[in-house]
Amino acid sequence: MISPLDWLMGLFSLDIGIDLGTANTLVSVRNKGIVINEPSWVAVEKRSRRVLAVGAEARQMVGRTPSNIVAIRPLRDGVISEFEITEEMLNYFIQKAHQHSFVPIPRPRVVVGIPSGVTEVEKRAVYQATLNAGARQAFLIEEPTAAAIGAGLPIMEARGTMVVDIGGGTTEVAVFSMGGIVINRSIRVAGDEMDEDIIAYMRNKYNLLVGERMAERAKIEIGSAFPLPEERTMTLRGRNLVTGLPEAVEVSSIELREALAPSVEIVVSAIKDALDETPPELIADLMETGICMAGGGSQLQALVERVADETNIRVWLAEDSMTCVARGAGRILEDYDNLRVLLVGLERGSTQH
């Protein structure tokens, strides 16, 4: 039986959905929507490991810090690589989310999206970090499930739906039916690898060393997965590896497409592999409903057209695709009684208590 205190806490609790991404962390608050969208960067003092800045402020420091300060991303490929720093980052975002609540409840309920391919140890690390960061209750949900809910897909119905969630560290491909994942693919190739492809291409072709931020900017502005109606050019600036001097090189969207080809091909292959294993009845459903693309990486120009061309299925980009996971995670607690079955449990102690 629920105690009066628990009932009161549940009535006034702050419910938060978090997309704890490799590149960006998004936070959704019940009845408020997305309230935080910041880079997953933390600036720390090397010797003491003291956190100096989090999010957008830390991102501004990348490549510009003195020798005693380092700006890092505490998550790699969608999983925690720096446990204590991830705790600090989560605590910062949870406290910041409290500013959007009129109710002074100090410990919220939190749902965190995790990649579907993570190990039990990685799940527990996220769960424990969320509790240590100040959550009253922590729940985990697989990112493709959260993305599908956030995109408004009818995953609880007895028909096939498919989502492709491309983030910074992982690409999640999932086919749903009756509230469960029928076919799932999780690969650690996504937006970060695309940036690295551009850096390697510029180094190999032009002997030009460009930074991560310059590579990401080029990907967003002129990168594509399919020929564009009008090809474009952009100037990339960096250091010449032969002379050691600053240099600027103008590159075309055709060259960027060539640079991005390896990662794009891996993503497309994962989608085709998932379709190859999907039962015929669900394939028939997918031909009607199409494939939903979500996540920041899915916004790469002409990627939707490329996937549609390769799969012979209608492909569409979810509305506000970058926020789908956070919105989906937030919706779990709004309709907890019906959607709790979608949460991920932990061995030796479930999150669903």
Side-chain angles (χ1 to χ4, degrees), residues 167-346:
T170 58
T171 294
E172 308 279 340
V173 182
V175 177
F176 298 90
S177 181
M178 297 178 66
I181 295 178
V182 181
I183 301 294
N184 179 52
R185 286 282 180 279
S186 179
I187 58 172
R188 297 193 174 184
V189 173
D192 287 349
E193 281 65 28
M194 294 179 189
D195 296 342
E196 289 169 12
D197 284 346
I198 294 171
I199 292 170
Y201 183 87
M202 295 303 294
R203 183 175 61 241
N204 296 334
K205 185 170 182 179
Y206 293 106
N207 286 319
L208 186 73
L209 181 63
V210 299
E212 288 182 15
R213 294 182 69 181
M214 179 62 72
E216 183 183 28
R217 188 175 144 209
K219 176 187 70 178
I220 293 169
E221 291 192 16
I222 66 169
S224 66
F226 218 51
L228 300 173
E230 185 177 336
E231 303 293 353
R232 300 168 56 199
T233 61
M234 178 181 173
T235 300
L236 270 65
R237 298 176 178 86
R239 187 177 76 243
N240 188 297
L241 292 170
V242 177
T243 65
L245 299 175
E247 186 178 340
V249 173
E250 188 174 55
V251 296
S252 70
S253 53
I254 298 172
E255 291 176 290
L256 260 290
R257 189 158 56 249
E258 182 185 338
L260 293 168
S263 292
V264 171
E265 187 58 44
I266 291 171
V267 170
V268 172
S269 294
I271 297 170
K272 290 165 74 174
D273 287 345
L275 288 171
D276 186 49
E277 294 188 19
T278 302
E281 289 296 334
L282 295 183
I283 287 287
D285 293 338
L286 295 182
M287 292 182 75
E288 291 182 17
T289 59
I291 299 172
C292 174
M293 303 285 286
S298 63
Q299 295 175 352
L300 178 69
Q301 293 181 78
L303 182 58
V304 166
E305 291 81 353
R306 170 73 181 273
V307 175
D309 182 73
E310 296 261 4
T311 61
N312 294 323
I313 294 177
R314 181 176 69 90
V315 181
W316 50 283
L317 188 65
E319 183 181 354
D320 200 4
S321 61
M322 190 170 177
T323 67
C324 282
V325 172
R327 285 188 285 121
R331 272 209 58 207
I332 290 290
L333 293 176
E334 291 178 20
D335 193 11
Y336 182 73
D337 290 339
N338 292 322
L339 299 180
R340 63 182 298 176
V341 295
L342 302 175
L343 294 169
V344 177
L346 292 173

Side-chain angles (χ1 to χ4, degrees), residues 5-67:
L5 179 61
D6 286 341
W7 179 82
L8 194 63
M9 289 285 283
L11 185 65
F12 292 107
S13 68
L14 181 67
D15 290 340
I16 298 176
I18 298 180
D19 176 7
L20 190 61
T22 306
N24 294 281
T25 296
L26 292 90
V27 179
S28 170
V29 173
R30 185 173 63 177
N31 300 326
K32 297 284 184 180
I34 302 297
V35 297
I36 297 171
N37 181 357
E38 293 197 34
S40 301
W41 283 91
V42 181
V44 297
E45 195 174 39
K46 281 185 179 179
R47 185 170 294 180
S48 65
R49 303 294 282 176
R50 183 168 60 92
V51 172
L52 303 176
V54 178
E57 187 181 350
R59 173 70 187 275
Q60 290 296 321
M61 299 181 183
V62 176
R64 300 186 174 102
T65 57
S67 59

